[in-house]
Amino acid sequence: MQIKKLKWKTDFEKSVIIENFVNRGWIKSQEKEEDSTDWNVYWATVWNVRNIFNPKNGMRLNDQQIINHFPNHYELTRKDCMVKNLKRFKREQDKEIYEQQGWNFDFLPTTYVFPGEYSLFVEEFHRCPNQTWIVKPAARSQGKGIFLLRKIQQLKKISGTTVTSNMTQLNLASKENYVVSKYIDNPLLIGGKKFDLRMYVLVTNYKPLKVWIYNKGFGRFCNEQYTTDVAEIENMFVHLTNVAIQQYSDKYSQKHGGKYSIDALKFYVESAYGTESFQKMMDDIHNIILTSLKSVQAVIQNDKHCFEMYGYDILLDANLKPWLIEINASPSLTTTTPVDKNLKLNLINDVYNIVLPNDDFPDNEQKQQQINKVGGFSVLYDESQDLINRKAQKRQSVKIWK
């Protein structure tokens, strides 16, 4: 059923969202209340999504409504939940079969969730006395509350925390959980500076899983030269790539915003290490994306009204090995340069070209149509087709053996 003019609503005053809606000729919903249902398209905060799907509210979305988060998206995008789900998923898998399929779990640095795994962390800390660790609040973003750790006593930086003299107990008065990971101290450097990759991934369905990957991510660079010198351990302009932090550096460039395109990074890696090395690196990144999504497939509440555009943060070490840093449910849509704005405008446009083809809500038959590329997005994984292919192979096998 086609609606002539879709109504839109957003909790974000971001130009790349609003301009996309206006350019499509959609009409802004005039209802201001958070529980308003007078909309077809809603780009919402994670908090309002949680409210919408709260059973106590009795709110039900209709067939002409779509929203940008799954109800319990945090299973993958809260740092502590991501770690717990990946660890659980790894325990559940048959290692031999999984590796035969070309997948692996060796992309998450050794990580502990506080306060529950504090004693395990202490044991590992004693085994690796010269190791640097990175401490992150589980539910904060933009680099807030992050610090590097070389001594247990530094945990006092966590608000309300006391550490016993024998290090066997951690009294965490703060209500926050924290994740503590081995710090990757040999990052790939370009121009002597550390960087990570921001990659965009769109999930339109979890059961069966359908994953799209965007071809126009970027590298986020630190402004200071990288060093492992302990004297610089608190210099976040050396260690954290978050633009929200780097923009306050005296060396921050308004011209490029510390961001370089994936195409430029591809050219560098292929020139320095060869095409095969770049392809191996990308295959490993795809493994990270698919394994992480598979780890929450059983627990995410799949809903036909929802999609999710994730921002994956990937760090490359000096051996071109990618490491998963975190997964963002609301990757920043703030724009710092004209190039950045153009990328994000096209990104959001392509998202809606996929989830609302021709500005219409697709029926089941349309959803099953096999389109593998839309704008900058390409299908990375389609479980429905995977199942069809397996059934076809099984039938073929039966035929052969007859």
Side-chain angles (χ1 to χ4, degrees):
M1 176 182 176
Q2 187 168 8
I3 299 174
K4 290 182 179 180
K5 291 289 184 181
L6 298 180
K7 288 187 177 181
W8 61 268
K9 180 179 179 180
T10 181
D11 298 326
F12 297 92
E13 292 299 317
K14 301 292 185 184
S15 61
V16 296
I17 298 174
I18 295 173
E19 284 183 34
N20 262 290
F21 293 165
V22 171
N23 290 342
R24 289 171 178 268
W26 295 349
I27 301 170
K28 184 177 182 180
S29 173
Q30 297 304 310
E31 293 190 15
K32 304 295 184 183
E33 295 79 8
E34 287 186 4
D35 58 355
S36 162
T37 58
D38 184 34
W39 51 267
N40 305 110
V41 179
Y42 189 0
W43 194 278
T45 64
V46 293
W47 300 279
N48 280 343
V49 168
R50 196 171 301 180
N51 183 55
I52 286 171
F53 288 104
N54 186 338
K56 294 180 180 179
N57 291 335
M59 189 183 299
R60 294 178 64 89
L61 300 186
N62 64 49
D63 288 341
Q64 277 74 49
Q65 290 183 304
I66 193 166
I67 196 164
N68 62 313
H69 294 294
F70 287 93
N72 59 336
H73 61 86
Y74 52 82
E75 294 286 356
L76 189 61
T77 56
R78 261 188 67 115
K79 298 176 186 69
D80 53 347
C81 293
M82 180 193 80
V83 171
K84 289 176 182 178
N85 280 310
L86 280 168
K87 288 182 177 181
R88 172 192 51 76
F89 187 58
K90 182 178 181 179
R91 288 194 303 269
E92 293 172 351
Q93 300 310 302
D94 185 313
K95 185 173 182 289
E96 185 176 343
I97 293 176
Y98 209 75
E99 288 183 349
Q100 283 175 359
Q101 295 175 341
W103 295 16
N104 69 74
F105 288 93
D106 186 25
F107 56 77
L108 185 70
T110 301
T111 301
Y112 300 93
V113 178
F114 282 9
E117 296 180 330
Y118 174 71
S119 58
L120 295 174
F121 164 72
V122 170
E123 291 177 14
E124 186 67 16
F125 184 87
H126 284 311
R127 279 195 292 266
C128 309
N130 297 318
Q131 174 69 44
T132 301
W133 299 80
I134 185 164
V135 183
K136 302 178 182 180
R140 286 196 251 173
S141 60
Q142 299 182 325
K144 294 172 184 172
I146 296 177
F147 62 93
L148 301 188
L149 179 146
R150 296 273 297 184
K151 298 178 181 179
I152 290 282
Q153 285 71 26
Q154 289 175 267
L155 289 174
K156 293 177 182 178
K157 290 184 179 182
I158 299 176
S159 176
T161 299
T162 57
V163 182
T164 59
S165 58
N166 60 5
M167 299 189 298
T168 58
Q169 292 183 350
L170 177 75
N171 297 319
L172 191 60
S174 168
K175 293 181 180 179
E176 284 187 289
N177 281 4
Y178 282 75
V179 294
V180 183
S181 304
K182 284 188 175 179
Y183 183 62
I184 306 301
D185 57 8
N186 64 330
L188 178 67
L189 305 179
I190 297 181
K193 296 177 180 179
K194 178 182 174 179
F195 68 96
D196 68 5
L197 301 179
R198 164 59 57 85
M199 304 191 72
Y200 296 104
V201 174
L202 174 68
V203 174
T204 50
N205 202 26
Y206 262 99
K207 297 170 186 174
L209 182 63
K210 187 161 187 179
V211 186
W212 301 73
I213 188 167
Y214 200 59
N215 64 2
K216 296 295 181 184
F218 51 85
R220 306 182 303 174
F221 278 74
C222 291
N223 284 289
E224 302 280 350
Q225 294 283 308
Y226 181 74
T227 176
T228 55
D229 188 343
V230 176
E232 296 291 339
I233 197 169
E234 295 187 0
N235 186 348
M236 295 299 103
F237 298 138
V238 170
H239 297 287
L240 296 188
T241 61
N242 308 71
V243 176
I245 289 176
Q246 293 297 328
Q247 65 181 340
Y248 295 107
S249 168
D250 293 338
K251 299 178 181 178
Y252 178 75
S253 169
Q254 296 287 347
K255 183 178 180 181
H256 54 68
K259 299 175 182 176
Y260 293 84
S261 71
I262 285 285
D263 290 338
L265 294 171
K266 177 177 183 288
F267 179 78
Y268 171 81
V269 172
E270 287 187 336
S271 299
Y273 299 92
T275 303
E276 288 186 8
S277 294
F278 175 79
Q279 190 55 55
K280 171 66 166 57
M281 180 192 85
M282 291 306 300
D283 289 343
D284 289 343
I285 291 174
H286 293 165
N287 167 74
I288 291 175
I289 294 168
L290 292 180
T291 303
S292 60
L293 293 171
K294 282 283 189 180
S295 75
V296 297
Q297 186 180 18
V299 297
I300 288 288
Q301 299 169 27
N302 196 51
D303 191 298
K304 67 178 181 179
H305 304 98
C306 305
F307 66 90
E308 197 85 43
M309 186 190 76
Y310 296 106
Y312 272 72
D313 292 340
I314 307 287
L315 178 70
L316 300 174
D317 69 19
N319 300 312
L320 291 188
K321 176 180 174 56
W323 297 89
L324 176 60
I325 303 304
E326 62 184 68
I327 305 169
N328 300 275
S330 298
S332 173
L333 294 177
T334 300
T335 59
T336 54
T337 67
V339 172
D340 195 33
K341 181 174 182 178
N342 186 57
L343 183 154
K344 290 174 180 175
L345 272 172
N346 290 330
L347 170 69
I348 300 300
N349 182 58
D350 290 344
V351 165
Y352 280 107
N353 283 340
I354 292 171
V355 300
L356 289 174
N358 303 315
D359 290 356
D360 192 13
F361 287 83
D363 57 29
N364 289 332
E365 187 175 332
Q366 287 175 303
K367 286 180 180 179
Q368 292 171 5
Q369 292 178 359
Q370 293 311 306
I371 300 174
N372 294 318
K373 184 170 175 57
V374 175
F377 278 103
S378 299
V379 172
L380 179 61
Y381 181 72
D382 186 346
E383 190 173 36
S384 63
Q385 283 302 298
D386 192 30
L387 292 171
I388 291 171
N389 293 337
R390 287 183 192 177
K391 288 178 180 178
Q393 289 173 357
K394 189 175 182 180
R395 287 195 297 269
Q396 184 66 24
S397 175
V398 171
K399 245 182 178 179
I400 292 170
W401 288 106
K402 279 183 179 178

